Amino acid sequence: MPTRYSTIDVAPGERSRNWHEVIGSTYFPLNLRFREPQTFNGELAIWSLGNLSLSRLKSDALAYERLPHHLRNEREEQYLVTIPAASDVTFSQCKVDIRCKPGGFILERGHEPYVFGHEEPNDLWVLKVPGEALRGRIRAPDRFSTLQFDSTRGVGALFVDMLHLIPGHFESMTREAHGYLGLQLVDLLVLALKSDERALFSKASAVREAHLSRIEQFVRANLTDTDLGPERVAAACGISVRYLHELFRDTNQTLGQWVREQRLAAARRAIEDPHNNHTIAEIAYRWGFTDQAQFSRLFRAAFGATPSECRARSKDGQS
């Protein structure tokens, strides 16, 4: 069953406080600025999809502020994909201002301060995605938070159409199916982001971004190769090792760090897959980790749990 909230039965004097609590527990701590606190109306429905959540938020005019003090105790990065259905929304983050109309969607970084709002009543669809889910599928996802994406055609339209279909089928699916559906949504989101040509020009030249995209594709196709290293990647992509390292300096990661991050994410997906009967040692080896002790240390540092704990938690969630 989805989780639902509404202000309809909340006393006028309690509505703003109540809505602060609802929003904070659904997304993350935010400051809210109401145009009419006493008469504010809001409805929220939430569908859990494994590590993701989909919500539909209908409310009167409202402004949301993610401030530096909200980030002090945050340990996990989160992204919000917001699709307005009734009126425009505005979004400001890192000195970039965006106005998104119905028919588009935006990606918000929850681990940076921002201001988001709408001056008219709105109907918002919001997908909350853990940072690790995006980083495991796309390099430097932050670069996409400065753009508005089209939800009326192509992969963007398919992504939004799939979101809209979920409420009608949610209760007839198992918890396991909900988790797999969440993974499929992330894959579609990544495809929609990467299909937008403007992303090539967001923070780097087209040539440099094209090289990075080629590197990304090659690395993902060869993550199981234990000999994957700068020399092999550079040769396969037709660039020098020196230029390869220069490209990665722009991303604030080394190639080795990024490859290890992708391998850990792939290993975690395999460990959490209830249909994967391989041992943790076999999974680690498949994804390029030949030292089991080192794999366990890296895995725990990245995800806050050992591989065994992660597998046990996944099994408990399916029971």
Side-chain angles (χ1 to χ4, degrees):
M1 291 285 291
T3 302
R4 298 184 184 276
Y5 300 96
S6 175
T7 59
I8 193 168
D9 295 321
V10 179
E14 296 292 321
R15 289 190 177 186
S16 60
R17 182 188 61 79
N18 173 264
W19 204 246
H20 262 104
E21 294 174 354
V22 167
I23 293 299
S25 64
T26 302
Y27 305 112
F28 31 64
L30 292 156
N31 275 11
L32 276 59
R33 289 189 282 112
F34 300 83
R35 180 181 294 173
E36 300 288 347
Q38 302 295 320
T39 60
F40 174 81
N41 286 302
E43 298 178 16
L44 180 65
I46 308 161
W47 297 269
S48 178
L49 303 168
N51 292 332
L52 283 68
S53 69
L54 172 64
S55 53
R56 187 175 185 181
L57 194 164
K58 299 180 182 180
S59 81
D60 294 337
L62 196 57
Y64 303 82
E65 296 177 317
R66 182 80 160 145
L67 301 175
H69 73 264
H70 292 138
L71 306 173
R72 290 174 189 158
N73 298 319
E74 295 288 333
R75 298 183 60 186
E76 296 184 5
E77 296 179 349
Q78 301 284 346
Y79 290 84
L80 299 182
V81 183
T82 301
I83 307 109
S87 65
D88 294 4
V89 298
T90 57
F91 177 64
S92 298
Q93 188 171 57
C94 297
K95 299 182 180 180
V96 176
D97 299 326
I98 301 172
R99 177 173 287 273
C100 182
K101 299 178 179 294
F105 67 88
I106 57 175
L107 180 70
E108 305 161 38
R109 287 177 285 173
H111 48 290
E112 293 280 355
Y114 69 75
V115 177
F116 172 90
H118 48 93
E119 298 175 352
E120 302 294 335
N122 218 329
D123 180 359
L124 306 175
W125 292 80
V126 183
L127 184 68
K128 183 180 177 184
V129 184
E132 65 189 42
L134 273 186
R135 291 196 311 273
R137 291 166 170 80
I138 192 168
R139 177 187 48 78
D142 285 2
R143 71 189 193 272
F144 295 98
S145 65
T146 60
L147 301 173
Q148 176 185 175
F149 295 89
D150 190 352
S151 64
T152 64
R153 59 189 177 90
V155 183
L158 182 60
F159 166 68
V160 173
D161 285 348
M162 189 170 175
L163 290 183
H164 291 166
L165 288 171
I166 289 172
H169 301 278
F170 185 82
E171 294 184 42
S172 64
M173 294 188 293
T174 64
R175 184 183 299 179
E176 180 181 354
H178 294 157
Y180 275 111
L181 182 56
L183 296 176
Q184 295 299 314
L185 281 173
V186 176
D187 288 338
L188 264 182
L189 171 62
V190 167
L191 189 56
L193 298 179
K194 295 177 70 174
S195 296
D196 193 301
E197 294 180 356
R198 296 168 303 157
L200 294 177
F201 301 94
S202 58
K203 288 190 178 175
S205 72
V207 172
R208 294 172 76 86
E209 192 64 29
H211 280 309
L212 282 167
S213 293
R214 191 177 303 115
I215 291 166
E216 182 178 355
Q217 290 173 8
F218 178 78
V219 168
R220 289 187 186 283
N222 293 274
L223 277 177
T224 59
D225 185 353
T226 56
D227 294 325
L228 187 66
E231 292 79 10
R232 178 151 184 234
V233 173
C237 296
I239 58 176
S240 69
V241 173
R242 181 178 178 180
Y243 186 51
L244 172 69
H245 291 312
E246 182 182 333
L247 288 169
F248 266 83
R249 275 200 296 273
D250 290 343
T251 70
N252 297 318
Q253 275 187 315
T254 66
L255 173 68
Q257 289 170 333
W258 185 71
V259 169
R260 184 171 66 240
E261 187 177 87
Q262 304 313 300
R263 283 174 165 163
L264 285 169
R268 181 180 181 177
R269 288 195 293 272
I271 287 169
E272 291 180 336
D273 182 354
H275 300 297
N276 190 322
N277 295 318
H278 290 98
T279 66
I280 290 173
E282 290 170 337
I283 291 171
Y285 188 79
R286 168 174 170 73
W287 293 109
F289 297 97
T290 56
D291 184 326
Q292 292 302 305
Q294 182 193 44
F295 170 69
S296 293
R297 286 196 301 272
L298 292 171
F299 192 98
R300 182 164 191 166
F303 306 120
T306 66
S308 297
E309 290 169 344
C310 195
R311 172 163 274 183
R313 261 195 331 234
S314 178
K315 288 182 178 178
D316 289 343
Q318 302 301 326
S319 60

